[in-house]
Amino acid sequence: MIDLRSDTVTKPSLEMRKAMYNAEVGDDVYKEDPTANELEKYAAELLGKEAALFVPSGVMGNQICLNVLTEHGDEVICEKDAHIFQYESGSPAALSGLQLSLVEGNERGIFSSEQIEPLIRPTSAYYMARTKVIEIENTHNRAGGTINPIENIISISKLAKKYNLFLHLDGARIWNASVETKISVSDYAKYFNTVSCCLSKGLGAPIGSIIAGSKELIEKAFRVRKAWGGGMRQVGILSAAGLYALKNNINRLKEDHEKAKLFAEGISKISDLCINKNLVETNIVMFSPKNISVDEFLSKCKNKGLLLGTGKVGVIRAVTHIDVTFEQINEAIKIIETIFS
Ligand SMILES: *Cc1c(COP(=O)(O)O)cnc(C)c1O
């Protein structure tokens, strides 16, 4: 099977498993796990933040960050296809009493500061929710792995300063943006109060995300993680995989982007598919079949040994990753060609 459903399907490599096997561990609820402590220190430095915290998932990472930045009844501005709105089980409302104010981004899922300034509610209006956070997703998952230009982020951060708002980065795939633009992750992170980044996607770790911010915010986050059941004991086993991923698997993401471009180029020649190759910037490819349904297309691919996922309604999503080779990408293109021949 060629599995292009997601970059989360990757399995820890032998070297990563060795690092896990050899990890020194302790009770992380007592902050006595040396490997977890090392990962958090390393990640904080990499992201240019005072402190970082290992969390079990990207969803928990985003939600803890939103929680520590807000109070019940506050409002968070985000894009209408943002992960925190589409794929986090309603948890901004359920866990932190937040409402989301949705902005429609462009075809890349990007909104401008001009677009959101009118959404910021006046602090004098006591009868309105308080706008507290602006959230940006980079790369943007549902828009197809697109990169938010740094100039746009800077412009939004100026707006946030002007109105005293916090900025949160859902940087599940910030590593992909960084290797593509050559802008360091700390140069992205510096505009944000909190960042959340996945270790378990393209970086190939089995489990976990990192959140980072000021010492004060991460101390608050430590308490919230425990309250939500995310305080783990000998978590160094997992942290060792994360550390291995951060030290060895960031630069190779470039290869995943080449695979995505190769795949997009190949399938763009098939007239029964609709695809905009220009939107393929990192490791995600979005496309639609013209004459058959998404379900029919997916099942035909599956029968021939190719697994694909879905994005927005009517859209197929293919994600390249560490466990798929260039040869398999060529094979995947052939499989799709035979479906329409
Ligand atoms: C995958 C993802 C998350 C959350 O990841 P989980 O680890 O599956 O909880 C958050 N944001 C974005 C943009 C993602 O792609």
Side-chain angles (χ1 to χ4, degrees), residues 3 5 22 42 54 84 119 220 239 256 280-281 287 336:
D3 196 345
R5 285 172 302 167
N22 289 318
Y42 186 84
F54 180 81
I84 58 164
L119 298 179
K220 270 171 108 176
S239 311
D256 296 343
V280 180
E281 299 179 356
F287 61 99
I336 298 174

Side-chain angles (χ1 to χ4, degrees), residues 200-264:
S200 62
K201 291 189 170 157
L203 295 191
I207 293 168
S209 276
I210 284 288
I211 58 175
S214 67
K215 197 163 167 281
E216 191 190 343
L217 281 173
I218 295 302
E219 267 165 22
K220 270 171 108 176
F222 185 57
R223 186 180 168 80
V224 177
R225 184 185 71 173
K226 184 75 176 113
W228 290 354
M232 296 175 285
R233 301 294 175 172
Q234 284 70 36
V235 74
I237 302 273
L238 299 178
S239 311
L243 255 180
Y244 181 90
L246 289 179
K247 289 182 178 171
N248 297 283
N249 289 351
I250 296 181
N251 286 329
R252 63 147 305 283
L253 290 171
K254 190 87 179 111
E255 231 179 70
D256 296 343
H257 303 174
E258 285 160 20
K259 286 177 229 165
K261 289 198 174 84
L262 175 69
F263 181 72

Side-chain angles (χ1 to χ4, degrees), residues 57-59 62 83 88 137 139 141 170 172-173 198 200-201 209:
S57 72
V59 170
N62 278 332
H83 198 278
E88 304 200 359
E137 188 173 309
T139 64
N141 181 346
D170 179 352
R173 295 187 182 81
C198 288
S200 62
K201 291 189 170 157
S209 276

Side-chain angles (χ1 to χ4, degrees), residues 286-303:
M286 300 291 202
F287 61 99
S288 307
K290 281 182 192 159
N291 303 313
I292 59 173
S293 74
V294 163
D295 286 347
E296 196 184 346
F297 179 74
L298 288 178
S299 81
K300 282 186 168 172
C301 288
K302 191 174 173 183
N303 287 340

Side-chain angles (χ1 to χ4, degrees), residues 6-8 55-62 81-84 87-88 135-142 170-173 196-201 207-209 284 317:
S6 173
D7 45 9
T8 55
V55 293
S57 72
V59 170
M60 192 188 280
N62 278 332
D81 281 321
H83 198 278
I84 58 164
Y87 301 126
E88 304 200 359
E135 191 257 8
I136 293 176
E137 188 173 309
N138 198 17
T139 64
H140 195 302
N141 181 346
R142 217 165 188 244
D170 179 352
R173 295 187 182 81
S196 174
C197 325
C198 288
L199 301 168
S200 62
K201 291 189 170 157
I207 293 168
S209 276
I284 303 179
R317 191 179 85 140

